[in-house]
Amino acid sequence: MAYHRALCCQLTSLRNWHLRPPSSLNEACALQGVRRLRHHTHKRRKRQMRQHLAITSVASADQATKIEASDHVLSTWRSAQAVCFDVDSTLCEDESIDELANFLGVGQQVADMTANAMGGSVKFEDALEMRLAVMKTSHQNIQDFLAAHPPRISKGIAELVQNLQSRHTAVYLVSGGFRPIINPIADILQVPRENVYANTILHDENGDYIGFDTSEFTSRSGGKPAAIRAIKAQHNYSPLVMIGDGATDLEARQEGGADLFIGYGGVVQRPSVAAGADWYIYKIQQLLDALGN
């Protein structure tokens, strides 16, 4: 609903464009981007409803217990020395790759690839390569997207990050998304950029897309647990908590990785993630409430 309201505001502010031809190429491109976003909003809402019905249909007594945090989970959460957040559909209310694809006119094709990657049916590195090959994102594309698409940070996140930092809990962003999109979000939340683990898009001297940096932890399947193991090895954090919505976030709970995985279903619900989480939540406020004062 928040996405829909924001989109309606964008369309209202652009109502004059529907009454006259665009006066410039930039204006025409912007109008085209808004029309694409409107087209894909309806499909996204239908997809999210199907996901909600799916997670409801597989609910079990064991899963219901995980919605109520155990004493062990609460103790680990409150004593965490570091918390790692996924970004898309967790820290933020959208999937930045999908939004960028919509902006570039290849939204549905890329959204399907993202769903497969987050659902665990396709290796992440393969899905990332396929999505970027379709998008062919230039340096200028990213700058234009950032100008037209300010971050949509999830409700409660800013307060949660501030609360954690006031407790001297280190905060990290561990994402399969792209650094040029995630770094500004880190800046808003006052998370040091050296605490960002994400993907780097490679461009040639003309700014055209030529690939991505395969040395980044999160450019491949198993990248998030590898990133977390590296963080723990460097800083000796214990316990360390991972929060996210997708299969790649759940992977972080592997041996030597996160000590606790909190699944987040406030944007998208994934049954396999809910089933594997130590605690499954639908609102960020639940994490704030659990911390207390």
Side-chain angles (χ1 to χ4, degrees):
M1 289 298 293
Y3 180 88
H4 182 66
R5 287 196 297 272
L7 182 59
C8 288
C9 290
Q10 288 178 328
L11 292 172
T12 299
S13 67
L14 292 168
R15 62 186 179 278
N16 291 334
W17 289 6
H18 296 274
L19 302 177
R20 60 176 173 79
S23 60
S24 69
L25 178 60
N26 286 341
E27 192 172 292
C29 291
L31 177 57
Q32 186 179 28
V34 169
R35 286 172 174 165
R36 288 167 179 160
L37 287 173
R38 180 173 58 183
H39 172 72
H40 290 292
T41 297
H42 178 66
K43 290 187 176 181
R44 179 183 296 105
R45 292 175 67 189
K46 289 178 65 177
R47 185 168 63 249
Q48 289 177 345
M49 178 60 71
R50 289 195 299 269
Q51 290 166 335
H52 176 73
L53 292 174
I55 196 170
T56 301
S57 67
V58 299
S60 63
D62 180 61
Q63 185 173 325
T65 300
K66 294 178 182 178
I67 295 175
E68 297 297 328
S70 68
D71 290 342
H72 171 72
V73 164
L74 290 175
S75 175
T76 303
W77 168 237
R78 291 166 181 160
S79 62
Q81 293 186 354
V83 176
C84 298
F85 289 92
D86 173 48
V87 176
D88 294 331
S89 295
T90 300
L91 198 81
C92 290
E93 296 177 340
D94 53 15
E95 288 281 338
S96 61
I97 295 179
D98 289 353
E99 296 302 321
L100 178 58
N102 287 339
F103 188 78
L104 297 174
V106 290
Q108 189 57 54
Q109 188 175 356
V110 171
D112 291 342
M113 294 176 181
T114 299
N116 288 335
M118 293 300 98
S121 60
V122 177
K123 286 185 178 180
F124 184 83
E125 57 266 37
D126 293 338
L128 180 61
E129 183 175 7
M130 288 187 292
R131 286 178 287 180
L132 286 173
V134 168
M135 293 161 65
K136 294 183 173 60
T137 309
S138 70
H139 176 76
Q140 189 60 51
N141 288 154
I142 294 176
Q143 299 310 307
D144 292 343
F145 172 76
L146 291 173
H149 192 283
R152 295 174 53 219
I153 297 174
S154 297
K155 182 179 179 181
I157 281 292
E159 184 180 356
L160 177 59
V161 170
Q162 184 179 33
N163 188 309
L164 290 169
Q165 291 173 331
S166 72
R167 299 162 68 97
H168 305 291
T169 302
V171 174
Y172 289 80
L173 309 186
V174 183
S175 172
F178 308 132
R179 289 184 182 274
I181 297 174
I182 294 173
N183 282 340
I185 298 170
D187 294 343
I188 292 170
L189 297 174
Q190 298 184 26
V191 174
R193 288 194 177 189
E194 57 265 29
N195 287 12
V196 174
Y197 287 74
N199 283 305
T200 300
I201 299 177
L202 304 177
H203 299 107
D204 63 18
E205 62 275 10
N206 297 319
D208 294 326
Y209 171 76
I210 57 173
F212 61 96
D213 185 352
T214 58
S215 69
E216 296 279 15
F217 284 115
T218 57
S219 69
R220 56 190 180 273
S221 295
K224 289 188 178 181
I228 287 175
R229 284 192 291 268
I231 292 169
K232 293 181 76 172
Q234 183 176 357
H235 300 282
N236 294 316
Y237 295 130
S238 181
L240 181 150
V241 176
M242 178 73 197
I243 302 172
D245 72 289
T248 59
D249 306 309
L250 178 58
E251 286 182 347
R253 191 65 171 88
Q254 294 176 7
E255 183 176 355
D259 301 292
L260 182 75
F261 172 66
I262 300 175
Y264 179 62
V267 178
V268 181
Q269 298 87 41
R270 309 185 197 279
S272 62
V273 175
D278 296 297
W279 181 22
Y280 198 76
I281 64 168
Y282 293 92
K283 295 182 179 180
I284 298 299
Q285 186 63 43
Q286 294 173 255
L287 299 174
L288 282 161
D289 292 344
L291 287 176
N293 296 324

